[in-house]
Amino acid sequence: MQSTDRRIDKLIHLLVKNATVVVPGPKIASEIGVTRFKVWSWIENLRSLGVEIRGVLGEGYQLVTIPDILAPSLLRAELGDHPIGRNIAHYFRTDSTNVVALKLAAEGAEHGTVVVAEEQTAGRGRLGRAWYSEKSSGIYTSIILRPPLSPAAAPVLTLMAGLAAQKAVISATGLAVDIRWPNDLLVNGKKVCGILTEMSAELDRLHAVVLGIGMNVNHSLMPAELEDIATSLRMEAHRGISRVQVLVALLRELERHYQLLLKKGNRAITERWEAASTFAHGKRVRVVTSAGEMLATTTGVDASGALKIQYDDGRQESLVAGEVVEVK
Ligand code: BTN
């Protein structure tokens, strides 16, 4: 599937820039270098994504509301000149932004490249699960990082991503957001965001890390099979949330936390993570691993990003993979 034609991005930018006026069709066509028919068909596409555009016969087009499309031009206008988000590849629809990002990384895409989609047809979750990716409702994004670190840093990068996502959601919505190890975001006990970290590495060197972040933003309800465990920011905040605003905050927070990790080291991240999550200390959990399920209590996060736990039989362990579920 092709990434969005840069001229569609220009069209969105042009309409947003002139939001208070009716922009003549021929002017749009000549500014972005396509036929008037092409302009009309792209406007129809945008309308099908929920963008409200008024057509005035013989005069042109006018935006009714500023669209909440994750268009590179709208995101770039809010981001400073930092590596994360300098390059943004947008897709109206793709199979999985992680698959696209891994391919771009293998082709040499630079550090900080962001892949974002309005819809995924094969969104991937952790532990082989699928990620529900409803069109235009969520944020489905993958960020390519090229850290000068060893593969052992991957778990801390994962915690860093969760921390950045938590700060972004709090700043954009004001909701109380918890982090379940390693990096699920929970609001009122239900999941609103999941992160799948994938990488290409040699024994001692990371080539690229792909942080795949899926966030339920404006879903007005979740599918029946998910409704007990997942929710959206809109459902919790009881108002529509700007995906553009959340994604901009997320990319800024990722930049900030990534710099913190490189300058101050793992502990700067793991200590902040411990302060940000109720799962760090004294949480009663069911530990789910490939070996089965056991009850335990959490006792902190070590410098590598592993979750320290004490099983009910007294044994202690540092978890590097798997999942924990709160026991109430
Ligand atoms: C989880 O299981 O909690 C992780 C979910 C990660 C989903 C995101 S959506 C964007 C990126 N592309 C994918 O295919 N998966 C990640």
Side-chain angles (χ1 to χ4, degrees), residues 41-61:
S41 80
W42 283 347
I43 297 256
E44 286 304 303
N45 272 347
L46 292 175
R47 283 179 172 149
S48 78
L49 286 164
V51 182
E52 287 181 68
I53 303 170
R54 197 162 71 92
V56 186
L57 203 64
E59 286 190 43
Y61 302 98

Side-chain angles (χ1 to χ4, degrees), residues 235-274:
M235 287 160 71
E236 298 305 314
H238 307 291
R239 62 182 169 92
I241 303 290
S242 157
R243 289 183 309 148
V244 170
Q245 197 195 332
V246 176
L247 184 51
V248 165
L250 174 62
L251 298 179
R252 285 202 191 127
E253 290 292 345
L254 275 175
E255 181 69 48
R256 196 164 74 79
H257 285 83
Y258 183 71
Q259 294 303 335
L260 187 72
L261 172 63
L262 293 192
K263 286 197 190 105
K264 300 263 169 77
N266 285 12
R267 265 296 175 204
I269 296 298
T270 56
E271 278 167 8
R272 281 172 173 76
W273 194 95
E274 285 184 313

Side-chain angles (χ1 to χ4, degrees), residues 181 287-289 305-309 311 317-324:
W181 186 87
V287 181
V288 188
T289 63
L307 180 68
K308 296 187 288 180
I309 49 167
Y311 290 109
E317 197 179 0
S318 292
L319 279 186
V320 287
E323 70 178 329
V324 295

